[in-house]
Amino acid sequence: MEIGELLNQTLSPEAAVRNDATDALDRLSTLPQFPFTLLSISIGGENGGQKVAAATYLKNFTRRNVDSTHTNSGITKEFRDAFVRSLLQAEPTVLKILVEAFRSIVAVEFVKKDAWPELVPELRSVIQRSDLIDKNPNSEWKTINALTILHSLIRPFQYFLNPKLAKEPVPPQLELITRDIIVPLLAVFHLCIEKVSDAQHTSEVQTETILLIICKCIYFAVKSHMPSALAPLLPSICQDLIRILNSLSFDGGLPCKDGYSLRMKTAKRSLLIFCALVTRHRKFADKLMPDMVKCVSEIVKHSTIINKLDSLSERIVSLAFDVISRVLETGPGWRLVSPHFSSLLNAAIFPALVMNEKDTTEWEEDPDEYIRKNLPSDLEEISGWRDDLFTARKSALNLLGVISLSMGPPVKTSTASSKRKKGEKYKRKGSSSMGELLVLPFLSKFPVPTDNRENTVNEYYGVLMAYSSLLDFLTEQKPGFTETLVRTRVLPLYETPIPQPYLIASANWVLGELASCLSEGMSADIYSSLVKALTMSDIGGVSCYPVRVTAAAAIAQLVENEYMPPEWLPLLQVVCHRISDEEEDSSIYFQLLSTIIEAGNEKISPHIPDIVCLLVREISKNLPLDLEPWPQMVEQCFATLAVMAQCWEDSASEENAQDGSSQLWVSGQATMMRAFSDLLQHAWLRSAQPMEHEVAFSVPAASCVDDCSTLLGFIVQGITETDELLKLKVSELMLVWSYLIADWHAWEEMEDLSIFNCIKKAVSLDRKFAVKNFIVGKLPLPPAPPVPQKSILEGIGAFITEAFSQYPSAVWRASSCVHILLHNPSYLPEGEGVKQSLVISLCQAAFSRFRELRNKPVPLWKPLLLAISSCYLCFPDIVEKIIEGIEHESFTVFLSALAVISTSKFEHSLSSESEIKLVVMALAQSLDKLIGRLNERSSLLHDCVASLMEAFLKLKELEEEEEDEESEDQASGDEETEDDDDEDSEDDELEETEEEFLERCAKTAVEMENGTIVEEGDVEDQELEIELGCLEDVDLESTVLLVIERYHQVLLQLQLPPELISSFLEAFPECKLYFQQPQP
């Protein structure tokens, strides 16, 4: 058969054969019988390889043809039925593939459209007649396959499906599945548990599989919702789940490994069900909690052998801790668990915290993984959802934190002693927390190690871990409480004759975790200890890499919490030394240095030029010539340099305001400009071959373009003399940069900002010094054709053109740059062609984006229409032709929209003088065209004239307000601002309730579906001031009054609003001659 042969060929080792076979299958996929043939082959193919190939192609085919956004999904009833029959008969390897395609069909046909009413009753019938349920080995239906279909059917209902509802009811499909299939299956579930309840007996893989699938189905049913048919049966379900958990053995001695592995997965799912019941369904779970707690309390005791458990067993212990934590956070749960606090701490929690052999092995073999699991920080961000990172130790720490905040029994005190002093609000009346009564006294039993005995070190490791979980408890204590704890229990570890790396790393982490509640008086001691750890070399064959990493992370956390060192220089020296001497930790040190620079600001700025020179020397050694992308270490160094450049710029006004420091600041800036120029030349111009005193280059690697833009912008902004342009090779660097951004595809809001900023600085520099190759590119030498190469401005233009199709903030920024590009440079006659090309590309891009949004006024209208207006003022006829070329009558659409945003009725109306000036000029320019076509567009002419007059009036009002504000005292305004800030801060403190959060999300979902919500971009981008350049010299009043004088007879026919005419004449009485006031 042709399709079967093609499927065989897709398994060929030769790429050409595979590609040809795939192309042939794609051509055949349009035939009506094609999916049925694939189903047939996946079940009865020649061999396993062909079956898998057919199933895989069918999976991809089904996903392509199932469209959840349209009514017609392309899936017929005949195909659905055939697919289900195939699933019931498929082999395990094929079933695993086909079920992925089935989920796509279910999501559309069963969940979204609810158009498969026969599926549930037919599946129920099939399950009842399947081989294992009916105890008929000759049955044509396989129980495991049927339950797998059930699992796929109920899987989507684990989540809320309608975000438009604040409180979503149980979906009717879930109620149906639960009532007709899940509830009857509970009897089977119970019987299977009876068979496997004794862990010493051999497990049957099929029985364990049935248990696991049914348990998963129960979990999906209750994870978000509570089906009415299931609620009364929860007590019996929980008893069955407890029997599963009680059957577990953690000694690893069971004979049936496959079956027992399935049992452990079922146990894991059982604990997840407990968590869901306690968290989501309290009114049903309260009565079940005693048995839950009794069961999991036994499981957590296996933390004593945590080092001997595999990852799945450890995850079960971890989840058991989580169940207790969630129970403890409820009122009934506290009464259940509180009597057992002491035994839990002693027999379960602390053993999970103690260091074990598994930790030391991972410390040496994979220190980064060790840090991620045990000592995580923002410097080592975890990506993805990794089950192995949810360790028993983390769950035990979480439980310990919850216990420490729990209140102990009431304490009887005399009337006098129970009176609180003013300001003493650290304890609740009549009771103390368990952190004070139990946790800290327990931890104090373990003294600070004075030797390196293994048992002592391991136990104190657990103590340090415990301290890290007490942040919330310590925050509630009196000032000085945490200081005493840190001074007596943590800092002494750094002073031991032979430091213990495992303890030092943990101590570093504790200091970082407690950053928010440390007192200023400890700053010197804490930073001295961390700097010592930061320079620690390997001890006795034990790697100190985790010590250095955690020290860096702790310093970063302290600095970010505004807990500053008493002196910055020693810390900077150590970090820079590590960067120059170490390669393994360099990424961590670069991140730390960036954090320090941002936090230290003006206190660190005097040292920045020296650090820049050091980093440039280091990075130049490691900068590859052709490798793309650059190594991570190089990229992080560029990022750090960009941070330093920004911090130096931020300190400019502060430094220059101080007497005697201005010269120092200028000298430091010159040093940094030279260093940055040398680095960018090394990165971008190194491969250039000099030709007749010109630079010929190929576009270098597009790495770190955002950070390089920051460095280039720093150089450009600091240029004050023409000689500096030549010495620093500014023109050459800007030309390479323009080539890089012209081909920019990595659009990302924060990264692009530096490019937009550099564009503005580059245009400003050209306006001052007429930069070579800025507007018109250089001519190549003969015998090449005398066609100029692309100029800097053309590269910038390509970047801005593409920005109009990107995220909203990019549109605002691009529009701001359009005005700068068109009106700021001095276009000589030879540059007019470049300007015209620029206007054409920018106008096309801006209007194309506007067309996508034109159905309803949105905030993005303003920047897009302002950008088109700038283009129109440059070349009116060309712009009209371009817009009309995109779509007939588009120029009318443009002017009509421009009139809309010019009125006060537009929600996001013009706010600044420059915006109003630009629109008034554009509307005035358009009147010549419109008045020539009066009969066709009289309504449009009316709107444009009315908007022109209203906008011009608003401009005059703004100018008068500005004059008034200049004469007012600013103090009252400052006071009002402070009061407003105070009110805002008070509002911020009001925490949003769950109901308010759900209502807000539902409202947003409705707006998104109705299309009434549109991304607007950042507020900062919307407030960008327009730079009109040469247009600032236009006498706007004369222009407007001249238009009114020229066309006053036409304007009288437009029947403009009397109140508008009255206001206009009041502001401009000289125009009374041109308007006839209506007679009373």
Side-chain angles (χ1 to χ4, degrees):
M1 186 178 182
E2 184 183 358
I3 292 179
E5 292 172 3
L6 291 172
L7 289 168
N8 287 335
Q9 290 173 15
T10 61
L11 305 174
S12 170
E14 298 180 19
V17 175
R18 291 197 306 272
N19 293 337
D20 290 343
T22 303
D23 293 340
L25 286 169
D26 289 343
R27 289 191 295 270
L28 292 172
S29 66
T30 57
L31 299 175
Q33 290 301 309
F34 179 75
F36 294 93
T37 304
L38 289 178
L39 275 176
S40 176
I41 295 173
S42 65
I43 302 303
E46 299 172 358
N47 54 61
Q50 190 184 67
K51 291 178 183 179
V52 170
T56 303
Y57 195 93
L58 181 62
K59 177 186 73 173
N60 297 329
F61 171 84
T62 305
R63 285 177 170 174
R64 285 198 304 269
N65 286 275
V66 173
D67 183 4
S68 61
T69 60
H70 294 91
T71 305
N72 181 16
S73 65
I75 302 297
T76 63
K77 181 180 184 302
E78 182 185 7
F79 179 68
R80 290 185 328 208
D81 294 343
F83 204 118
V84 173
R85 284 195 299 273
S86 299
L87 284 170
L88 290 167
Q89 298 171 340
E91 298 172 0
T93 52
V94 174
L95 177 66
K96 189 175 180 180
I97 300 169
L98 288 181
V99 82
E100 293 184 44
F102 181 66
R103 288 173 186 166
S104 303
I105 299 173
V106 165
V108 177
E109 298 291 311
F110 183 73
V111 179
K112 186 177 179 64
K113 299 179 182 177
D114 196 11
W116 204 344
E118 71 277 9
L119 179 57
V120 172
E122 289 179 0
L123 181 59
R124 175 182 179 176
S125 175
V126 165
I127 292 174
Q128 289 172 340
R129 293 183 286 116
S130 62
D131 55 357
L132 300 178
I133 302 296
D134 196 33
K135 295 185 172 55
N136 177 13
N138 298 320
S139 173
E140 63 175 323
W141 311 126
K142 300 177 181 178
T143 301
I144 303 299
N145 293 37
L147 292 177
T148 302
I149 294 174
L150 172 64
H151 174 260
S152 297
L153 205 58
I154 201 170
R155 196 170 187 265
F157 299 103
Q158 65 178 307
Y159 305 112
F160 293 112
L161 300 173
N162 190 351
K164 295 182 291 181
L165 299 177
K167 292 185 178 180
E168 183 180 334
V170 181
Q173 300 100 312
L174 178 58
E175 291 278 21
L176 180 66
I177 296 169
T178 308
R179 185 184 68 243
D180 287 7
I181 303 181
I182 300 291
V183 169
L185 273 177
L186 291 178
V188 177
F189 187 62
H190 183 76
L191 289 174
C192 290
I193 289 172
E194 291 283 350
K195 289 175 65 175
V196 304
S197 59
D198 188 349
Q200 300 304 315
H201 293 171
T202 303
S203 299
E204 294 181 5
V205 172
Q206 287 184 327
T207 304
E208 298 285 0
T209 303
I210 291 173
L211 275 177
L212 176 58
I213 297 176
I214 295 177
C215 200
K216 284 183 177 180
C217 291
I218 295 171
Y219 173 64
F220 291 151
V222 302
K223 184 179 179 184
S224 296
H225 303 282
M226 178 53 69
S228 57
L230 208 57
L233 303 174
L234 285 177
S236 61
I237 292 173
C238 283
Q239 288 304 316
D240 285 339
L241 297 179
I242 287 170
R243 291 187 69 180
I244 292 172
L245 293 166
N246 288 340
S247 73
L248 299 180
S249 173
F250 292 87
D251 59 10
L254 288 177
C256 184
K257 294 188 80 174
D258 291 340
Y260 197 70
S261 175
L262 291 170
R263 175 92 56 86
M264 297 295 277
K265 290 179 181 178
T266 306
K268 170 185 166 184
R269 195 66 59 167
S270 300
L271 291 167
L272 289 171
I273 292 173
F274 287 171
C275 288
L277 291 176
V278 174
T279 306
R280 294 282 313 147
H281 310 292
R282 274 283 312 283
K283 69 176 182 179
F284 301 108
D286 281 358
K287 294 180 180 179
L288 307 174
M289 285 182 188
D291 291 334
M292 287 184 193
V293 170
K294 182 179 178 182
C295 173
V296 297
S297 294
E298 293 300 316
I299 294 176
V300 295
K301 291 178 182 177
H302 291 98
S303 63
T304 55
I305 56 167
I306 205 74
N307 59 311
K308 298 177 182 177
L309 300 182
D310 58 27
S311 59
L312 183 54
S313 300
E314 183 177 354
R315 180 71 176 120
I316 289 171
V317 176
S318 170
L319 281 169
F321 277 123
D322 292 341
V323 172
I324 299 174
S325 296
R326 298 189 187 204
V327 168
L328 183 54
E329 290 174 336
T330 68
W334 183 88
R335 289 189 289 273
L336 279 171
V337 179
S338 58
H340 308 289
F341 279 162
S342 182
S343 60
L344 270 174
L345 180 56
N346 192 53
I349 296 174
F350 192 71
L353 308 184
V354 170
M355 192 169 191
N356 56 60
E357 296 89 337
K358 196 185 290 187
D359 295 319
T360 54
T361 301
E362 198 161 51
W363 174 291
E364 292 298 335
E365 295 179 356
D366 193 348
D368 289 316
E369 185 71 3
Y370 170 85
I371 293 169
R372 276 192 290 271
K373 280 186 180 180
N374 300 288
L375 312 171
S377 72
D378 291 339
L379 293 182
E380 288 282 340
E381 291 185 4
I382 299 168
S383 59
W385 184 269
R386 291 185 49 188
D387 209 45
D388 62 322
L389 293 178
F390 293 89
T391 61
R393 179 174 288 149
K394 284 187 178 177
S395 295
L397 286 171
N398 180 60
L399 175 56
L400 185 60
V402 176
I403 289 175
S404 69
L405 289 172
S406 299
M407 303 313 294
V411 179
K412 293 183 180 179
T413 58
S414 66
T415 305
S417 62
S418 64
K419 291 181 179 178
R420 280 190 300 177
K421 294 179 182 178
K422 185 178 180 181
E424 188 179 309
K425 54 182 179 180
Y426 304 100
K427 298 176 184 176
R428 295 176 220 177
K429 187 175 181 180
S431 61
S432 297
S433 68
M434 294 307 297
E436 189 175 354
L437 296 174
L438 172 67
V439 178
L440 288 181
F442 174 83
L443 297 177
S444 66
K445 295 190 300 185
F446 303 93
V448 177
T450 55
D451 53 42
N452 286 334
R453 283 185 298 177
E454 183 177 353
N455 189 53
T456 307
V457 169
N458 290 350
E459 287 179 341
Y460 207 76
Y461 178 93
V463 172
L464 292 171
M465 285 283 134
Y467 288 147
S468 71
S469 70
L470 303 182
L471 174 61
D472 292 335
F473 162 73
L474 293 173
T475 303
E476 293 184 356
Q477 305 311 302
K478 296 178 181 179
F481 189 96
T482 305
E483 179 175 350
T484 302
L485 179 70
V486 171
R487 284 196 184 280
T488 58
R489 305 287 286 167
V490 180
L491 294 183
L493 293 167
Y494 296 90
E495 305 302 327
T496 54
I498 304 177
Q500 175 45 252
Y502 306 121
L503 297 184
I504 297 296
S506 301
N508 294 340
W509 188 58
V510 169
L511 292 175
E513 292 295 293
L514 301 183
S516 61
C517 56
L518 295 174
S519 63
E520 289 295 328
M522 304 178 62
S523 175
D525 293 333
I526 286 176
Y527 274 99
S528 172
S529 300
L530 289 174
V531 167
K532 189 181 295 184
L534 199 61
T535 59
M536 189 174 288
S537 303
D538 296 353
I539 299 172
V542 178
S543 168
C544 283
Y545 170 72
V547 175
R548 297 189 291 271
V549 170
T550 52
I555 293 170
Q557 280 183 276
L558 292 170
V559 167
E560 286 170 356
N561 278 274
E562 299 183 357
Y563 190 78
M564 306 303 184
E567 294 181 48
W568 289 98
L569 186 57
L571 179 58
L572 289 170
Q573 288 173 332
V574 169
V575 175
C576 292
H577 176 72
R578 299 303 296 181
I579 287 174
S580 59
D581 286 357
E582 293 284 343
E583 291 187 5
E584 69 176 33
D585 329 308
S586 59
S587 61
I588 298 294
Y589 291 126
F590 281 126
Q591 292 176 68
L592 174 58
L593 184 56
S594 297
T595 303
I596 292 171
I597 296 293
E598 288 176 324
N601 212 343
E602 71 277 0
K603 294 181 180 178
I604 286 180
S605 57
H607 308 296
I608 286 180
D610 293 333
I611 299 174
V612 164
C613 293
L614 171 67
L615 294 188
V616 167
R617 284 197 300 271
E618 289 303 315
I619 199 173
S620 298
K621 300 174 189 174
N622 298 283
L623 194 61
L625 185 61
D626 301 315
L627 186 64
E628 184 179 357
W630 289 338
Q632 185 183 22
M633 176 265 193
V634 172
E635 292 185 345
Q636 287 170 338
C637 187
F638 268 96
T640 303
L641 289 172
V643 169
M644 287 193 279
Q646 188 61 53
C647 288
W648 185 265
E649 286 185 0
D650 293 343
S651 71
S653 57
E654 299 169 10
E655 291 290 338
N656 288 332
Q658 298 174 13
D659 294 335
S661 63
S662 176
Q663 192 58 41
L664 269 175
W665 190 90
V666 171
S667 172
Q669 184 182 38
T671 299
M672 292 172 66
M673 288 168 62
R674 285 193 299 272
F676 290 156
S677 176
D678 291 343
L679 179 59
L680 292 178
Q681 289 179 52
H682 192 64
W684 288 347
L685 306 179
R686 200 167 20 152
S687 57
Q689 299 296 322
M691 297 174 60
E692 300 285 334
H693 306 291
E694 295 290 339
V695 177
F697 62 88
S698 57
V699 181
S703 293
C704 302
V705 176
D706 56 328
D707 294 321
C708 289
S709 298
T710 301
L711 304 187
L712 180 60
F714 185 91
I715 298 170
V716 167
Q717 188 169 1
I719 298 292
T720 56
E721 298 176 0
T722 308
D723 288 348
E724 292 176 321
L725 284 172
L726 301 174
K727 290 178 183 176
L728 300 178
K729 293 189 178 294
V730 174
S731 174
E732 292 85 345
L733 292 176
M734 284 174 60
L735 190 59
V736 179
W737 168 76
S738 70
Y739 275 69
L740 288 171
I741 65 171
D743 196 37
W744 180 254
H745 300 294
W747 293 93
E748 169 60 42
E749 194 154 346
M750 292 307 297
E751 294 182 5
D752 304 337
L753 180 59
S754 60
I755 299 177
F756 284 106
N757 289 338
C758 190
I759 287 172
K760 294 177 181 179
K761 294 174 182 178
V763 174
S764 176
L765 181 70
D766 177 69
R767 189 172 180 82
K768 293 177 185 174
F769 298 106
V771 178
K772 183 176 64 174
N773 300 324
F774 189 82
I775 296 177
V776 180
K778 63 185 176 185
L779 287 170
L781 297 174
V787 179
Q789 295 179 2
K790 189 161 65 175
S791 66
I792 297 170
L793 187 63
E794 288 172 300
I796 293 173
F799 173 82
I800 298 299
T801 299
E802 180 62 25
F804 278 114
S805 64
Q806 302 303 322
Y807 56 90
S809 287
V811 175
W812 284 93
R813 295 167 186 168
S815 299
S816 174
C817 288
V818 166
H819 312 299
I820 295 171
L821 294 180
L822 296 181
H823 308 310
N824 276 21
S826 300
Y827 290 97
L828 298 175
E830 60 269 22
E832 281 299 307
V834 174
K835 184 177 182 179
Q836 184 172 315
S837 299
L838 196 61
V839 164
I840 291 172
S841 62
L842 294 174
C843 182
Q844 285 177 333
F847 191 78
S848 296
R849 183 62 183 269
F850 171 73
R851 282 182 67 208
E852 299 172 6
L853 307 168
R854 70 181 182 184
N855 292 333
K856 184 172 183 179
V858 294
L860 280 183
W861 269 30
K862 184 165 78 171
L864 291 168
L865 293 172
L866 290 175
I868 300 169
S869 298
S870 265
C871 295
Y872 180 66
L873 289 172
C874 294
F875 299 101
D877 294 335
I878 292 175
V879 167
E880 182 177 358
K881 186 176 179 181
I882 290 167
I883 295 176
E884 286 292 330
I886 293 174
E887 185 180 357
H888 183 56
E889 293 293 322
S890 286
F891 188 66
T892 301
V893 172
F894 160 64
L895 290 180
S896 178
L898 192 63
V900 169
I901 70 167
S902 306
T903 65
S904 55
K905 296 177 183 176
F906 183 60
E907 184 181 354
H908 311 280
S909 59
L910 308 175
S911 54
S912 68
E913 288 186 26
S914 53
E915 290 175 352
I916 299 173
K917 284 180 182 177
L918 184 63
V919 169
V920 168
M921 283 188 274
L923 288 172
Q925 179 73 44
S926 70
L927 290 186
D928 287 330
K929 302 272 184 186
L930 292 177
I931 289 175
R933 309 166 191 172
L934 181 61
N935 294 332
E936 300 175 32
R937 307 182 184 183
S938 56
S939 62
L940 176 60
L941 178 61
H942 173 280
D943 293 342
C944 287
V945 171
S947 296
L948 170 64
M949 293 172 65
E950 184 178 340
F952 194 48
L953 276 173
K954 185 176 180 181
L955 178 63
K956 189 168 183 65
E957 288 172 8
L958 285 176
E959 290 173 345
E960 289 173 355
E961 285 176 10
E962 249 184 39
E963 291 173 4
D964 293 340
E965 284 176 4
E966 287 175 4
S967 60
E968 287 179 1
D969 186 8
Q970 296 296 322
S972 60
D974 293 340
E975 289 173 9
E976 287 175 13
T977 304
E978 288 174 11
D979 293 340
D980 291 344
D981 290 343
D982 291 341
E983 289 173 13
D984 292 342
S985 63
E986 287 174 11
D987 291 340
D988 292 341
E989 290 173 6
L990 296 176
E991 192 172 336
E992 188 177 39
T993 65
E994 181 181 356
E995 291 76 13
E996 290 170 341
F997 170 75
L998 293 174
E999 289 287 351
R1000 181 167 56 82
C1001 290
K1003 182 181 177 183
T1004 303
V1006 171
E1007 291 174 345
M1008 290 178 70
E1009 184 170 281
N1010 296 338
T1012 57
I1013 186 169
V1014 180
E1015 285 187 278
E1016 300 180 5
D1018 291 341
V1019 174
E1020 290 180 3
D1021 295 314
Q1022 296 181 31
E1023 295 175 350
L1024 291 171
E1025 186 70 25
I1026 288 179
E1027 295 182 31
L1028 296 179
C1030 60
L1031 294 182
E1032 293 285 3
D1033 299 332
V1034 174
D1035 186 346
L1036 201 57
E1037 184 171 333
S1038 298
T1039 302
V1040 173
L1041 297 183
L1042 184 62
V1043 167
I1044 291 175
E1045 179 185 355
R1046 185 186 306 163
Y1047 298 118
H1048 70 276
Q1049 303 228 353
V1050 177
L1051 303 187
L1052 290 175
Q1053 302 173 24
L1054 297 179
Q1055 297 183 347
L1056 297 169
E1059 60 273 14
L1060 175 62
I1061 295 176
S1062 176
S1063 299
F1064 191 82
L1065 293 179
E1066 186 179 340
F1068 303 100
E1070 62 269 32
C1071 292
K1072 287 183 179 178
L1073 294 173
Y1074 310 123
F1075 289 92
Q1076 292 181 353
Q1077 297 296 332
Q1079 297 297 322

